[in-house]
Amino acid sequence: MKAALRSRWAQAGLVILAIFVLVAALAPVIAPYSPTNSSFSPLASPSLRHLLGTTQLGQDIFSQLVWGTRGTLEIGFLTGLFATALGVLVGIGGGYLGGPTDSVLNALTNVFLVIPGLPLIIITAAYITTKSQLPIILIISFTGWAWGARVLRSQTLSLRQREFILAARLVGESPLRIVVSEVLPNMLSLIAANFIGAAIYGILSAAGLQFIGLGNVNAVTWGTMLFWAQSQGALLSGAWLWILAPGAAIALVGTALGMLNFGIDELTNPRLRAGVKKLPKPVPAGTPEVGALLSLQEIEAGYQTAAGPLTAVRGVSLAVKPGEFLGIAGESGCGKSTLAFAALGLLRPPGAVYRGSSYLAGVDLLALTPAQRRPYLWRDASFVFQASMNALNPVIRVRDHVLDTARAHGLPPAEAIERATALLQQFEIPAHFLDAYSFQLSGGMKQRVVLALSLLLRPKLILMDEPTTALDVVVQRLIMQQIEWILGELGVSIVFITHDFSLLVEISDRIAIMYAGTVVEQGPAAEIYAHPLHPYTQGLIRSFPPMSGERQVLHGIPGHPPGLGEKLSGCPFFARCSARLEGVCDQAVPALLAQGDQHTVACHLYGQPPPVAAPTAVGEAR
Amino acid sequence: MRYLLQRVAILLITGWAALTINFLIPRLMPGNPVETMIAKFQGRISTTAIHALELQFGLHSHQGWWLQYLDYWRNILTGHLGVSVTYYPQSVGSVLAQSVPWTVGLVGLSTVIAFLAGTLIGIRSAWRRGRLGADLSVPVALFLNSTPYFWFALILLYAFAFLLSWFPLSGGAASSGSPQGLAYLGSLAYHGTLPLLTLVITSLGGWLLTMRNNMLSTVSEDYVAFAQARGLPEGQVMYRYAARNAILPSFTAFAMAIGFVISGTLLTEIVFSYPGVGFILYQAVTSLDYPLMQAIFLFISLAVLAANFIADLVYILVDPRAREGR
Ligand SMILES: Nc1ncnc2c1ncn2[C@@H]1O[C@H](COP(=O)(O)OP(=O)(O)OP(=O)(O)O)[C@@H](O)[C@H]1O
Ligand SMILES: [Mg+2]
């Protein structure tokens, strides 16, 4: 709840609402006259005595507006309360109890969701002859609870599966106790949103009802003000403030409540949170490495969060030569995916590249606008996502994905389909799956469709982010074979990201090891495997069994990498390193220095720290 | 197909429930509607009419509820909805028949326009989030969303009909002239513009907010990023990849929205004296014409169900998962 109030929207809404509540509470003090005092001259124009003029009957409009605040907010509050109570009862009750109770309650909810509220209220209210506010409020609540019940029910259903609820049930706590002490507290924000929505609904419905003369028109509310204004021809006699003021007040209160709800929405759905400021283009760095197809220079990238900017990639420089297979390995969260997205300028807010250049065949992709970058994407470098499960648009066919891609890059449709058919065949997917939707493909098939798509425009480079994770071993092996085919037959460069070091050893030309957003070691695959220099690489190799061979005891590396918000003052591996040099490793960030012909490592064990501790990455030795 | 059958089942249940509620309300409410009516229409209602009304509302009747209920259904299925007291001696059915086209036209047109416009603005507002123009659409939409329809109608009426005289103060079409030809269409537009504008503007905010929220969730989906990675044009990514998916929940929200729009239409018609169902309902309410009210509620419920069914059909067209079974 407190977090919801941090939202700009919620704050603005709360301020407006507070003003209205204050006016309602202090009505006797604020209003200069009694709202029913009709001793003034009728239809007076606004003046200091009558800020908004007077009515046909000679009442002070401003006083009515002030007192009407009280009556209207009361209706909103009570409707919110009753409708929410009903919604909670039906939604949470049904959702938690399940079975036939739930079926009946759910059917009831669906019925009330569809039955039009206001007409039902109108005809019901027309039968009521008592002149009290309460029946109207009850009727409105009775028509307004269904939406809340639906939302609460589905939330309860998902909550019911959570561990702490299951645990409570196992212990044998009574359902009522579990609902009150475990379920309800977890749904407070939803219930609050519900209350607010029902309050808006109540205020608007009551106003409509009172406007056509139903309910107690002698009560002082904004709705009855509008009724009297209309029935006494306020507009025709030019007393437009009599109409304007109460309606505007209703809309304003509704807006304030809506803003509050918007804040709560943002809280429950992080994707709705306010967008972050657009950063300027990253500061370019370095020059493209000679002979490299892709040359990353000092890429620094991360995420802008409410708690401040995080740095997930801390100045990475890497190069990929034509036809080369570069493997990137590192533990989960070390910034591999962020680096891949950053390299192609595809990092989306809240992600951002802070600094660096990504030269693809000499062109710095990060210095381009999105529109300028588009022609290079996929034609020169394609990208197979870590989660290809959701990479296909669920509402269009595989064929449309092919055609869209082709059209964007000027490949004739006929040729695109021909190529796609051949590629799918290569990946052992029958051609008729061109007409399938993604929900008709298995996980492994989706992955292979995406791989086939990545080759459609015959790019020079493919970035593959863990293309085999989450697949079973057979499919995994199949895909690896196909990737080797791509490499052998097509001569494409591949950057292959994985946390499975053993997978890389057999297939890579070169391997880069990432740790905490930095490249700590890189070199030819065989050499890295045979002579790992960095203590982290050594640990990594120990913790994975070779792809073929006996399973061994795995040696995990205890400890955690530094937080993304921290600025490095020494080696990022310092805290976990078994070979650390106190007073050296924690004092300066090690630079990536050549060790031998093509092998580089960032570790103080293999060279003295430069006199000025700066995290400059040095181009690799060749 | 399974999806469709499921929807039809829900609609049938809902229709049955709505009609049953319609049957129950006059019987559950305290007081005696027929006596109220007799008092109001002193001497203008014949004894036979009173008897018919008593039967319709189950008063002084020795029949059990169950038999009354069967009678109620028989009357509905044969179209006998009773006689209107206000428009005596017209039958409720014929009064309704004259007003229904106006309301259906107004609701249909305004819903389509508001849906399209609100959805479009919602898409763009989500896509350009973080820029002032796009973010400003939120408070504006919230304001429109909580603007009482009838109040907005009054403001438009005052400004454009009363002060500026651009549009007429009341009515649905010029009373002279046959209901045909271009001139008649012109007169329809002349009378219908302000009511339509009221409904479109006040219901647009809801669609905008719904779409904006859906869109913000969809934009971070992988398939949107994947479309961008493939270098597809921005417009295509925005509409075909993000919005095309984000719009699906809007069809589910339709059930509730159409109820609001119809409610708004009723009140708007009252303000503009537009000869639709809302106007008739107002007459019925002010003169306590219970048979007419009952019939109007019946009609509105069925109309909402029909609109929902159309929304379901459209949903099946746009979502292959609903179409090709699952
Ligand atoms: N949207 C985000 N907001 C804030 N932090 C994020 C966001 N996305 C990723 N991060 C953080 O950035 C860091 C790097 O994430 P990244 O996805 O690049 O890791 P990874 O090396 O690909 O890991 P894995 O092997 O699990 O895929 C992680 O610590 C993660 O928590
Ligand atoms: Mg990753």
Side-chain angles (χ1 to χ4, degrees):
Chain A
M1 268 344 297
K2 280 199 199 101
L5 299 182
R6 243 181 264 136
S7 145
R8 278 184 303 150
W9 297 116
Q11 285 168 358
L14 213 62
V15 168
I16 302 177
L17 203 63
I19 293 175
F20 276 106
V21 170
L22 216 63
V23 168
L26 299 179
V29 181
I30 297 174
Y33 313 104
S34 153
T36 47
N37 179 353
S38 52
S39 61
F40 309 107
S41 58
L43 291 177
S45 312
S47 64
L48 277 182
R49 267 195 70 194
H50 301 291
L51 287 177
L52 299 175
T54 60
T55 70
Q56 177 94 30
L57 294 174
Q59 300 141 326
D60 181 51
I61 296 179
F62 179 70
S63 300
Q64 288 202 330
L65 193 71
V66 170
W67 280 97
T69 312
R70 192 178 264 199
T72 308
L73 291 191
E74 252 168 37
I75 294 178
F77 180 79
L78 288 177
T79 331
L81 206 63
F82 293 144
T84 308
L86 263 175
V88 166
L89 222 57
V90 173
I92 300 186
Y96 187 80
L97 293 176
T101 322
D102 182 40
S103 306
V104 171
L105 290 181
N106 189 32
L108 197 71
T109 308
N110 278 327
V111 167
F112 271 90
L113 214 49
V114 173
I115 288 181
L118 192 71
L120 181 61
I121 301 172
I122 289 178
I123 67 160
T124 317
Y127 282 101
I128 291 177
T129 37
T130 58
K131 285 289 172 204
S132 142
Q133 205 85 275
L134 197 64
I136 300 281
I137 291 176
L138 288 179
I139 296 171
I140 296 176
S141 313
F142 193 64
T143 58
W145 56 270
W147 187 256
R150 169 191 265 201
V151 176
L152 291 173
R153 174 178 178 265
S154 62
Q155 182 68 14
T156 310
L157 285 180
S158 73
L159 215 55
R160 208 160 65 118
Q161 304 305 325
R162 299 265 288 275
E163 277 118 39
F164 60 99
I165 304 278
L166 290 177
R169 277 163 61 177
L170 274 181
V171 175
E173 296 221 35
S174 77
L176 188 68
R177 230 192 100 84
I178 297 180
V179 166
V180 171
S181 63
E182 307 279 357
V183 177
L184 279 181
N186 279 293
M187 308 229 277
L188 279 185
S189 58
L190 265 188
I191 294 175
N194 210 305
F195 173 84
I196 292 171
I200 300 177
Y201 174 75
I203 290 176
L204 284 175
S205 301
L209 220 54
Q210 289 164 335
F211 176 67
I212 60 174
L214 291 171
N216 180 8
V217 290
N218 289 318
V220 181
T221 70
W222 295 333
T224 55
M225 283 179 76
L226 286 166
F227 166 74
W228 289 111
Q230 170 72 353
S231 62
Q232 302 188 353
L235 288 184
L236 300 185
S237 45
W240 54 273
L241 272 173
W242 191 4
I243 297 262
L244 190 75
I250 293 176
L252 211 58
V253 166
T255 310
L257 288 170
M259 285 175 161
L260 212 53
N261 238 354
F262 209 80
I264 297 180
D265 265 357
E266 282 184 357
L267 173 76
T268 44
N269 186 352
R271 288 174 172 186
L272 301 184
R273 292 211 185 119
V276 275
K277 272 178 274 133
K278 251 191 118 194
L279 288 185
K281 273 190 201 138
V283 186
T287 49
E289 196 175 302
V290 183
L293 173 60
L294 176 72
S295 169
L296 305 182
Q297 293 292 340
E298 298 169 41
I299 300 263
E300 211 176 288
Y303 301 89
Q304 293 182 289
T305 63
L310 302 179
T311 312
V313 175
R314 302 175 186 261
V316 167
S317 300
L318 275 176
V320 187
K321 294 192 201 73
E324 187 180 37
F325 190 113
L326 171 70
I328 300 182
E331 67 189 357
S332 182
C334 71
K336 306 181 295 292
S337 300
T338 309
L339 178 65
F341 275 92
L344 294 180
L346 288 172
L347 211 52
R348 298 182 301 171
V353 179
Y354 305 136
R355 195 183 128 71
S357 292
S358 169
Y359 298 98
L360 181 62
V363 180
D364 183 2
L365 290 180
L366 302 183
L368 303 177
T369 65
Q372 290 169 332
R373 190 158 48 225
R374 246 171 253 139
Y376 297 98
L377 295 177
W378 219 254
R379 193 198 67 194
D380 290 346
S382 58
F383 184 9
V384 177
F385 283 16
Q386 177 162 3
S388 291
M389 293 306 125
N390 300 315
L392 297 177
N393 182 347
V395 297
I396 65 176
R397 298 171 197 274
V398 172
R399 176 189 300 276
D400 298 319
H401 287 89
V402 172
L403 291 177
D404 285 351
T405 315
R407 204 172 305 122
H409 296 279
L411 181 68
E415 193 183 340
I417 292 298
E418 198 177 305
R419 280 193 200 178
T421 314
L423 283 168
L424 285 180
Q425 228 139 44
Q426 178 63 41
F427 287 100
E428 298 180 17
I429 293 180
H432 69 83
F433 277 99
L434 265 179
D435 287 314
Y437 291 97
S438 67
F439 70 88
Q440 294 163 327
L441 303 172
S442 75
M445 285 165 89
K446 279 183 225 175
Q447 188 69 56
R448 284 177 285 154
V449 165
V450 168
L451 274 171
L453 272 175
S454 74
L455 288 166
L456 185 71
L457 302 177
R458 305 195 173 138
K460 304 180 191 111
L461 173 75
I462 307 180
L463 264 66
M464 297 184 184
D465 192 357
E466 310 203 21
T468 59
T469 332
L471 297 176
D472 75 56
V473 190
V474 179
V475 183
Q476 209 170 332
R477 185 145 308 157
L478 178 69
I479 287 179
M480 287 316 292
Q481 283 165 2
Q482 286 154 343
I483 288 172
E484 284 187 62
W485 166 80
I486 297 173
L487 205 59
E489 291 287 310
L490 306 180
V492 179
S493 303
I494 293 180
V495 175
F496 192 97
I497 294 173
T498 180
H499 52 241
D500 188 349
F501 182 82
S502 56
L503 199 63
L504 290 183
V505 174
E506 315 201 344
I507 178 170
S508 309
D509 297 319
R510 243 160 12 98
I511 293 180
I513 307 289
M514 272 185 82
Y515 181 77
T518 58
V519 171
V520 292
E521 179 165 10
Q522 65 157 311
E527 195 176 324
I528 294 263
Y529 186 60
H531 310 288
L533 296 177
H534 200 283
Y536 175 68
T537 314
Q538 293 164 356
L540 204 62
I541 290 176
R542 268 201 306 276
S543 57
F544 284 102
M547 208 177 192
S548 52
E550 297 293 301
R551 280 206 156 261
Q552 308 165 335
V553 180
L554 301 185
H555 304 269
I557 306 168
H560 297 285
L564 302 185
E566 289 171 36
K567 202 166 156 38
L568 296 185
S569 57
C571 175
F573 193 56
F574 178 75
R576 299 167 74 183
C577 185
S578 52
R580 66 184 173 208
L581 306 168
E582 301 277 352
V584 176
C585 295
D586 53 347
Q587 294 305 319
V589 180
L592 203 55
L593 295 176
Q595 294 294 327
D597 197 11
Q598 297 187 17
H599 200 155
T600 56
V601 64
C603 178
H604 292 312
L605 295 176
Y606 304 96
Q608 287 308 304
V612 182
T616 43
V618 175
E620 48 269 72
R622 43 190 52 258
Chain B
M1 260 350 261
R2 229 179 70 200
Y3 176 80
L4 191 63
L5 289 179
Q6 206 180 328
R7 297 306 302 167
V8 169
I10 291 182
L11 287 185
L12 284 180
I13 295 177
T14 314
W16 166 78
L19 292 187
T20 304
I21 289 176
N22 199 28
F23 168 81
L24 288 178
I25 286 174
R27 286 165 177 79
L28 287 182
M29 284 295 141
N32 178 335
V34 178
E35 260 171 28
T36 326
M37 277 193 286
I38 294 171
K40 178 124 189 168
F41 291 90
Q42 270 167 4
R44 280 169 45 208
I45 310 183
S46 66
T47 20
T48 44
I50 291 176
H51 185 66
L53 284 172
E54 282 176 348
L55 275 187
Q56 190 175 358
F57 292 99
L59 296 158
H60 310 306
S61 162
H62 307 294
Q63 285 181 313
W65 277 38
W66 179 241
L67 284 178
Q68 290 178 33
Y69 188 54
L70 286 184
D71 267 348
Y72 169 77
W73 269 101
R74 187 174 314 127
N75 285 336
I76 285 177
L77 294 177
T78 52
H80 293 293
L81 301 174
V83 172
S84 159
V85 188
T86 333
Y87 297 88
Y88 195 78
Q90 283 196 66
S91 76
V92 163
S94 72
V95 173
L96 207 53
Q98 289 156 26
S99 57
V100 160
W102 296 102
T103 301
V104 169
L106 206 53
V107 171
L109 206 58
S110 62
T111 305
V112 169
I113 296 177
F115 178 79
L116 291 180
T119 301
L120 208 67
I121 302 175
I123 293 172
R124 302 192 66 91
S125 151
W127 194 257
R128 305 197 186 290
R129 173 170 61 163
R131 296 182 213 181
L132 188 67
D135 285 358
L136 221 55
S137 71
V138 173
V140 172
L142 285 173
F143 186 81
L144 291 181
N145 208 24
S146 39
T147 301
Y149 287 88
F150 63 90
W151 175 72
F152 197 72
L154 284 171
I155 303 289
L156 288 190
L157 187 74
Y158 182 64
F160 296 105
F162 184 69
L163 288 184
L164 298 171
S165 299
W166 290 358
F167 295 100
L169 279 166
S170 68
S175 44
S176 60
S178 68
Q180 272 161 5
L182 227 59
Y184 184 70
L185 274 185
S187 133
L188 277 185
Y190 180 57
H191 287 79
T193 303
L194 286 185
L196 195 70
L197 213 59
T198 304
L199 290 171
V200 166
I201 293 181
T202 43
S203 58
L204 184 145
W207 293 121
L208 194 162
L209 292 172
T210 308
M211 192 59 190
R212 185 176 184 275
N213 274 7
N214 295 344
M215 191 70 181
L216 287 181
S217 302
T218 312
V219 158
S220 39
E221 291 288 348
D222 272 345
Y223 49 78
V224 175
F226 191 59
Q228 282 168 338
R230 272 147 56 216
L232 303 192
E234 186 181 2
Q236 193 174 38
V237 177
M238 173 164 51
Y239 289 110
R240 185 172 159 91
Y241 283 77
R244 181 79 167 63
N245 283 285
I247 204 171
L248 297 177
S250 287
F251 290 99
T252 324
F254 203 79
M256 217 178 53
I258 192 76
F260 281 122
V261 176
I262 288 193
S263 305
T265 311
L266 300 181
L267 296 173
T268 304
E269 284 179 359
I270 294 170
V271 170
F272 290 103
S273 306
Y274 199 77
V277 175
F279 189 64
I280 306 284
L281 178 64
Y282 184 57
Q283 305 299 322
V285 167
T286 47
S287 55
L288 297 180
D289 187 344
Y290 292 111
L292 191 52
M293 275 188 245
Q294 298 279 302
I296 289 174
F297 179 68
L298 187 100
F299 160 74
I300 292 176
S301 306
L302 295 182
V304 168
L305 290 184
N308 268 296
F309 188 64
I310 295 174
D312 283 338
L313 289 183
V314 176
Y315 183 81
I316 291 178
L317 278 186
V318 294
D319 189 352
R321 280 160 296 191
R323 188 175 36 195
E324 312 218 339
R326 252 263 265 221

